[in-house]
Amino acid sequence: MHKNLLAKSVRLAMISGAAAAAFTTPVAFAAEEGEKVERIEVTGSRIKRVDMEGANPVQVITREDLVESGISNIGDILQEIPAVAGAATNTAINNGGSGAVRVSLRGLGSARTLVLVNGRRMVNSGTGANASADLSTIPVAIIKRVEVLKDGASAVYGSDAIAGVVNIITRNDFEGFEANVSYDGSTENWDGETKTIDFTVGVSSDKANAVVSAYYTEQTEQMSGDRDWSAFEYDLNPATGELDKGGSSAPPWGRYNGVNNGIDDATCNSFTHGAANGPGQSDPSDFTNPTGYDCWDWDKDTYNYAPANYHLTPQERYGMYASAEYRFNDSVRFFSEVSFNRRTSKTKLAPLPLAPLAFFGWTDATYSADNYWNQQLGPKNDNGETVDIADWRRRMVETGGRDSTFEVDTVRGVFGIAGEFADTWGYEVSYVYGQNSSSTAGAGGVNFEKVSLAVGPSFMDANGDIVCGTADAPIADCVSLNTFGIPGTDTQVSQEMLDYITFEAHDLGSNEQTVLSASVFGDAFELPAGPVGMVFGAEHREEEGADLPDALIALGITSGSSRQKTQGSYEVDELYAEMNFPLLSGVVGAESLEIDGAIRYSDYSTFGDTTNYKLGLRWLPIDGLMFRGTVSTAFRAPSTSELFAGNSDNSPLVSDKCATNPTPFCIADGVPAGGFEPIGDQLSSTLGGNEDLTPEEADTVTIGAVWSPSFVDNLSFTLDYWDIDLDNAISTIGEQLILDKCAEEGTYCDLITRYGPEFPGLYGNSSDIDNRNINVGGVHSSGYDFNAQYSIETGIGDLSFVLDTTYYDTYEITQADGSTIENAGWFRRTSGDGNFPEWKTNFNINLAQDNWSANWKIRYIGEALEPFDANNDGSTDLDDLSDSRTVDSQTVHDARFTYYFDNVSTTIGVSNVFDQDPPYAATGFNDNTDPRTYATTGRHLYLGVGVKF
């Protein structure tokens, strides 16, 4: 390759060190003239070749990048890549998270990003019947490099590779001993600590080699109350532009709607009457300032639930990895990989808002007028009488919160044989088995059947005990519930009462994958420009998934989101072929010109068959300039959860236009003519699977250029354009669209169930929205990736600069009714699509000598619009810029310094050097921002020590 484009790129890759996480580079080295050059396989093609810079844009993260970054989870560093957007989860997701870390290339979702390990599929993992891999199950200690293909690749790898591929290459050729110890902690309160220790041992001989690695990582929590920007729920006031402290209408001092308590309606509307037995927002943990029953005041009587939530969730991970290879001869080589990973993670939500009717739609938990505690302590009507209370709300702070613990085990084994025959031909046969199992324990919820009994009639017996039921029909083992007392006093909810109504849910889940594959590859024949490379292969794959909820959850009688069990499997048989044709070489106008072709036929047991293809072009008109492009089709088969998921409850953030301005369609659907007061911005909906789903289909185009000017050494530029057009998306209609179209056109009204006049406080509100899976609409995504690299030798070391930028030009969602929503430049939390700032940039500066290196990294995330009722007119138009606000940009600086002496390396680093807070997002569901996109854990100090022999 001499001093052409490829050699320069490789040399720059070696110099750039920790900066490599931000750029695209080839992954092979040139051989000296006369030496035999090893052919290797690079992500995006199964053809083994010498020239590694192909038609596909591949981004590489090296081993050095991982070690010096101090990141103990490969998913975290992948989420910093500018090409990643949308709504993938990480450990900063408390409400809705589980400790899993996933990646969403192009913002198309983690299910459309295929994860491979050494070119073979990784089993989906999580809490059961998952559609993508949890990257936290792959320890950093065993990773040699990560190749990120930013192009569709279904013709090469099959389903799921619509947005691209993450291929994790392990250290199967490692020799010697290596151990690393690291500490990372926030400089504020020293919370959110991460401690990691790992070791790797490798041995080899002429015939065999083996590698064994093990690791342990512990991450501690950060609490939302420990940061000013997340200590409250902040609501942006559209009239004043100020942030008002918000809260929950289910406070620890209780709210009992519809009971006048002797106050006339002119003074206080009956709906807002409640018990204001606490100081509201002054101190959410102090309940010693009772004000008595009075009108409900949203400014002072709501409960600040934010401090009781995790901001960064804790977890513990440990595991091992082993690989072995034995070469009988050139024709037969046995290889194997075995890995095990256990993750124990936790989430903590604020104590349960026990509001059976308003929040959970449970109609059989009216606080009885014959309940002893209601008679003694409850609010009265205008005549001073105890009454039935249908809509009552009480924050159960006595439980300490809703704690969930996830224990997830992932095992994977690879066994195969490979070899060479007929000079330039080779073969490989492999068997892959992956299995993921999980158990989840959820505490702090209640059994509504027991709540119904506990707030029903009760009396004091002759012994002074409070007994459920009546004197004629007492209810054995029932404990009557008193929610009228003050937490922290003798009148609070007693432990006996809690023990009766609460329960701990125990859920089980699993994913299982079996893959049997065989391939033959080599040079088919010679053309004047070189040999024609070919690959032929067959693959059989089985996928199985299950999610088995606690029996009480499945019955739908608890405060946990009700769901039925998910269990199912499918099989697929596939045939594929790939060819590379070198057309021209070393002629005027074509230093190199070649085309690639791939095709794959897939036959699924669920929906039938599909065929996908890919064509690629690579052209070097002159030395130092390369043009590349691909055209392909891609698909994603429906996952086990999308096919077989049982019905489950959801609580989306939506608004109902029928509330304030009911149309004739609203009234026909059961809405009162005068409208209604909304329950809140979270409504209930039903999600579920659909066995009639068909695969998603996509057309993908990428066009790019790489230029390394001959007049400047070690300078290169890369520009790639992508266009992905996805149809037949596996999705749902969407709760917001269902509500909007019912109000505007009368369509989808049959999917909405509303409260009737028998519930005066809730009349007209939606109690459920049917939003189960269908093939509907699509996505059109396009944009540009730009990369610039430069390095120079200076008197104090090798200095390199790497700039990596992604610009999202279009991310258009086609909805069920044919209408479109533009996401590029928007953060749409309520619709679930996620965050798509138009600009995302990483800039790295690296200075290195033989025994030390220093790195400064700048991560920039541009501004984004979010839907917001800026006009304060009670509505939000998703496409009206006047009905939006701007989520500010975020710029984060990271610094690292590593010193090498003998066999020891030491690294000290600071993440988020200037302690930049995340920007405020009015629709942010976790901590007033979007932890899926922004750095939210503050400034962190990192220390690491490594030993290698």
Side-chain angles (χ1 to χ4, degrees):
M1 302 190 306
H2 306 294
K3 291 187 177 181
N4 62 10
L5 167 67
L6 302 182
K8 290 181 178 181
S9 298
V10 170
R11 185 164 62 253
L12 182 59
M14 297 178 67
I15 294 172
S16 298
F23 65 82
T24 300
T25 181
V27 294
F29 301 94
E32 297 295 333
E33 287 191 37
E35 292 184 9
K36 181 179 179 181
V37 180
E38 181 184 1
R39 300 186 179 199
I40 64 173
E41 182 180 314
V42 177
T43 305
S45 173
R46 293 186 184 275
I47 294 177
K48 299 180 186 293
R49 64 186 80 189
V50 175
D51 196 345
M52 292 299 103
E53 184 70 33
N56 303 293
V58 178
Q59 183 167 341
V60 176
I61 301 173
T62 68
R63 173 73 188 164
E64 290 74 17
D65 305 331
L66 298 174
V67 173
E68 294 182 8
S69 72
I71 294 177
S72 63
N73 194 318
I74 182 60
D76 291 338
I77 196 170
L78 286 170
Q79 288 192 350
E80 294 180 359
I81 294 175
V84 169
T89 62
N90 55 52
T91 59
I93 308 300
N94 180 48
N95 192 348
S98 65
V101 180
R102 307 183 191 277
V103 65
S104 171
L105 286 173
R106 306 299 188 206
L108 287 171
S110 55
R112 297 177 183 131
T113 301
L114 179 63
V115 176
L116 307 174
V117 177
N118 295 323
R120 304 177 187 92
R121 283 180 176 266
M122 181 66 185
V123 62
N124 294 337
S125 49
T127 56
N130 300 98
S132 62
D134 173 11
L135 291 163
S136 72
T137 63
I138 305 170
V140 171
I142 62 102
I143 298 176
K144 182 177 183 179
R145 66 178 182 273
V146 181
E147 299 174 4
V148 181
L149 171 68
K150 295 180 285 186
D151 193 9
S154 286
V156 179
Y157 299 112
S159 176
D160 307 339
I162 290 180
V165 177
V166 174
N167 189 11
I168 296 166
I169 310 300
T170 60
R171 307 169 73 189
N172 292 353
D173 57 353
F174 176 78
E175 291 185 60
F177 173 83
E178 178 181 290
N180 299 281
V181 179
S182 65
Y183 170 85
D184 180 278
S186 167
T187 59
E188 182 175 351
N189 305 324
W190 296 104
D191 55 4
E193 297 177 315
T194 301
K195 304 169 185 176
T196 298
I197 182 170
D198 65 64
F199 74 86
T200 303
V201 178
V203 296
S204 68
S205 67
D206 292 340
K207 287 284 189 178
N209 64 278
V211 177
V212 177
S213 181
Y215 80 102
Y216 173 83
T217 296
E218 179 186 24
Q219 176 178 290
T220 63
E221 72 275 4
Q222 285 182 349
M223 300 300 297
S224 296
D226 292 336
R227 302 294 186 272
D228 291 341
W229 50 269
S230 59
F232 288 88
E233 173 202 328
Y234 287 111
D235 298 325
L236 182 60
N237 189 322
T240 65
E242 300 294 325
L243 293 178
D244 298 331
K245 293 177 179 178
S248 171
S249 64
W253 40 91
R255 178 179 178 182
Y256 305 91
N257 288 327
V259 186
N260 285 1
N261 206 50
I263 305 173
D264 61 79
D265 289 345
T267 302
C268 186
N269 181 277
S270 62
F271 178 79
T272 59
H273 287 188
N277 285 343
Q281 292 289 3
S282 62
D283 183 349
S285 62
D286 178 14
F287 313 114
T288 60
N289 181 29
T291 60
Y293 293 108
D294 204 341
C295 302
W296 179 264
D297 187 340
W298 277 98
D299 292 330
K300 72 175 184 180
D301 294 330
T302 54
Y303 168 66
N304 179 24
Y305 54 83
N309 290 267
Y310 284 147
H311 164 59
L312 181 67
T313 60
Q315 63 174 234
E316 180 183 63
R317 292 181 285 120
Y318 60 87
M320 60 80 62
Y321 170 88
S323 68
E325 178 179 302
Y326 185 82
R327 295 172 289 278
F328 294 94
N329 50 51
D330 289 343
S331 300
V332 181
R333 172 175 59 89
F334 170 79
F335 60 89
S336 64
E337 302 169 20
V338 178
S339 63
F340 166 77
N341 180 84
R342 168 166 290 180
R343 169 171 59 82
T344 301
S345 52
K346 297 181 180 181
T347 61
K348 177 186 281 291
L349 302 179
L352 176 72
L354 184 54
L357 182 61
F359 289 6
F360 300 98
W362 188 265
T363 59
D364 295 330
T366 295
Y367 232 120
S368 172
D370 295 324
N371 181 277
Y372 173 84
W373 300 110
N374 190 7
Q375 292 174 344
Q376 300 298 313
L377 303 171
K380 312 301 178 185
N381 65 10
D382 291 342
N383 299 321
E385 301 167 330
T386 299
V387 297
D388 289 340
I389 309 172
D391 183 8
W392 58 275
R393 311 176 191 185
R394 171 62 150 78
R395 182 71 60 161
M396 305 299 285
V397 294
E398 292 87 350
T399 64
R402 287 167 287 173
D403 296 297
S404 295
T405 301
F406 307 87
E407 187 173 277
V408 182
D409 291 344
T410 304
V411 296
R412 183 174 183 266
V414 178
F415 307 94
I417 57 172
E420 299 177 0
F421 63 93
D423 294 332
T424 62
W425 283 87
Y427 71 94
E428 180 179 294
V429 178
S430 66
Y431 171 80
V432 180
Y433 175 78
Q435 200 269 342
N436 163 251
S437 60
S438 72
S439 62
T440 304
V446 299
N447 180 334
F448 279 128
E449 287 189 343
K450 290 189 174 182
V451 171
S452 297
L453 295 175
V455 299
S458 59
F459 65 98
M460 180 180 288
D461 66 11
N463 298 321
D465 297 325
I466 312 304
V467 180
C468 297
T470 64
D472 295 333
I475 302 174
D477 301 322
C478 174
V479 180
S480 185
L481 179 63
N482 172 24
T483 64
F484 305 102
I486 307 299
T489 71
D490 292 340
T491 64
Q492 71 177 4
V493 177
S494 70
Q495 188 61 49
E496 185 183 16
M497 296 174 184
L498 290 178
D499 290 343
Y500 177 67
I501 64 172
T502 61
F503 79 108
E504 183 173 275
H506 293 276
D507 304 333
L508 299 176
S510 65
N511 298 276
E512 189 172 350
Q513 178 187 82
T514 302
V515 184
L516 181 61
S517 60
S519 63
V520 177
F521 45 86
D523 296 339
F525 53 88
E526 287 281 338
L527 291 178
V532 174
M534 304 184 72
V535 173
F536 300 96
E539 189 169 280
H540 173 79
R541 178 162 55 93
E542 300 177 8
E543 299 279 355
E544 183 175 348
D547 170 35
L548 308 176
D550 186 277
L552 294 180
I553 294 288
L555 287 172
I557 62 173
T558 74
S559 55
S561 296
S562 175
R563 70 186 192 279
Q564 304 299 308
K565 77 172 182 178
T566 297
Q567 195 162 19
S569 63
Y570 65 83
E571 299 182 5
V572 54
D573 293 305
E574 298 181 291
L575 297 173
Y576 62 87
E578 186 179 353
M579 301 184 72
N580 171 257
F581 295 91
L583 302 181
L584 296 172
S585 177
V587 301
V588 176
E591 288 292 321
S592 177
L593 175 64
E594 63 183 44
I595 60 173
D596 297 324
I599 189 169
R600 176 177 287 252
Y601 169 79
S602 308
D603 185 13
Y604 280 77
S605 61
T606 48
F607 61 82
D609 60 82
T610 179
T611 301
N612 291 268
Y613 73 88
K614 185 170 187 174
L615 294 175
L617 171 69
R618 176 182 175 274
W619 175 37
L620 278 75
I622 59 174
D623 190 31
L625 177 63
M626 183 183 75
F627 296 100
R628 62 190 179 193
T630 64
V631 177
S632 65
T633 61
F635 77 103
R636 184 176 76 88
S639 66
T640 53
S641 58
E642 291 165 334
L643 289 165
F644 308 113
N647 288 349
S648 64
D649 292 341
N650 189 34
S651 301
L653 286 165
V654 291
S655 60
D656 191 344
K657 293 181 179 180
C658 289
T660 56
N661 186 26
T663 65
F665 300 117
C666 298
I667 295 171
D669 193 43
V671 173
F676 56 85
E677 181 170 344
I679 299 172
D681 55 4
Q682 277 188 270
L683 297 180
S684 296
S685 66
T686 297
L687 307 178
N690 179 357
E691 295 187 31
D692 294 326
L693 291 173
T694 56
E696 299 177 332
E697 300 172 344
D699 294 312
T700 300
V701 176
T702 64
I703 301 172
V706 181
W707 182 42
S708 181
S710 59
F711 51 84
V712 180
D713 287 339
N714 302 321
L715 174 66
S716 68
F717 303 94
T718 301
L719 178 64
D720 287 291
Y721 168 78
W722 86 85
D723 186 287
I724 303 170
D725 196 0
L726 185 146
D727 295 317
N728 208 38
I730 301 171
S731 184
T732 61
I733 296 173
E735 293 94 346
Q736 188 64 66
L737 184 64
I738 291 172
L739 291 169
D740 289 349
K741 290 303 177 182
C742 177
E744 297 166 0
E745 303 173 2
T747 56
Y748 302 140
C749 291
D750 59 322
L751 300 178
I752 304 172
T753 303
R754 298 187 182 273
Y755 289 103
E758 64 272 24
F759 304 105
L762 300 171
Y763 182 23
N765 273 279
S766 165
S767 63
D768 185 65
I769 305 168
D770 188 346
N771 192 37
R772 286 174 286 187
N773 294 337
I774 58 172
N775 287 99
V776 59
V779 180
H780 179 215
S781 175
S782 66
Y784 300 86
D785 294 325
F786 175 74
N787 176 271
Q789 310 172 39
Y790 178 66
S791 68
I792 186 172
E793 295 181 3
T794 71
I796 57 174
D798 294 330
L799 180 64
S800 65
F801 304 88
V802 180
L803 175 71
D804 192 41
T805 294
T806 293
Y807 172 73
Y808 285 88
D809 181 48
T810 300
Y811 194 99
E812 188 177 74
I813 302 290
T814 300
Q815 300 190 99
D817 64 344
S819 62
T820 60
I821 298 176
E822 179 55 67
N823 274 4
W826 287 82
F827 169 44
R828 300 194 189 275
R829 167 65 184 87
T830 54
S831 62
D833 299 323
N835 204 333
F836 295 85
E838 288 184 332
W839 291 97
K840 295 183 73 176
T841 298
N842 288 348
F843 180 58
N844 283 268
I845 305 171
N846 200 72
L847 181 63
Q849 284 192 0
D850 292 338
N851 59 349
W852 61 266
S853 67
N855 178 260
W856 190 276
K857 179 177 180 179
I858 303 172
R859 292 179 282 140
Y860 171 78
I861 300 170
E863 295 179 343
L865 296 171
E866 68 173 334
F868 180 69
D869 186 12
N871 299 323
N872 200 22
D873 59 4
S875 65
T876 301
D877 188 336
L878 292 179
D879 297 313
D880 184 359
L881 295 182
S882 65
D883 253 356
S884 64
R885 65 172 297 273
T886 298
V887 180
D888 292 336
S889 63
Q890 185 185 45
T891 303
V892 174
H893 297 256
D894 302 330
R896 289 286 186 272
F897 179 82
T898 301
Y899 186 80
Y900 307 91
F901 52 94
D902 295 330
N903 298 320
V904 179
S905 65
T906 59
T907 299
I908 182 170
V910 181
S911 300
N912 197 353
V913 174
F914 302 110
D915 201 16
Q916 178 77 27
D917 289 340
Y920 171 78
T923 56
F925 190 55
N926 286 259
D927 297 326
N928 306 302
T929 189
D930 178 24
R932 293 169 173 82
T933 301
Y934 305 108
T936 62
T937 59
R939 182 194 295 117
H940 276 241
L941 176 67
Y942 171 81
L943 298 171
V945 178
V947 178
K948 186 174 182 179
F949 299 99

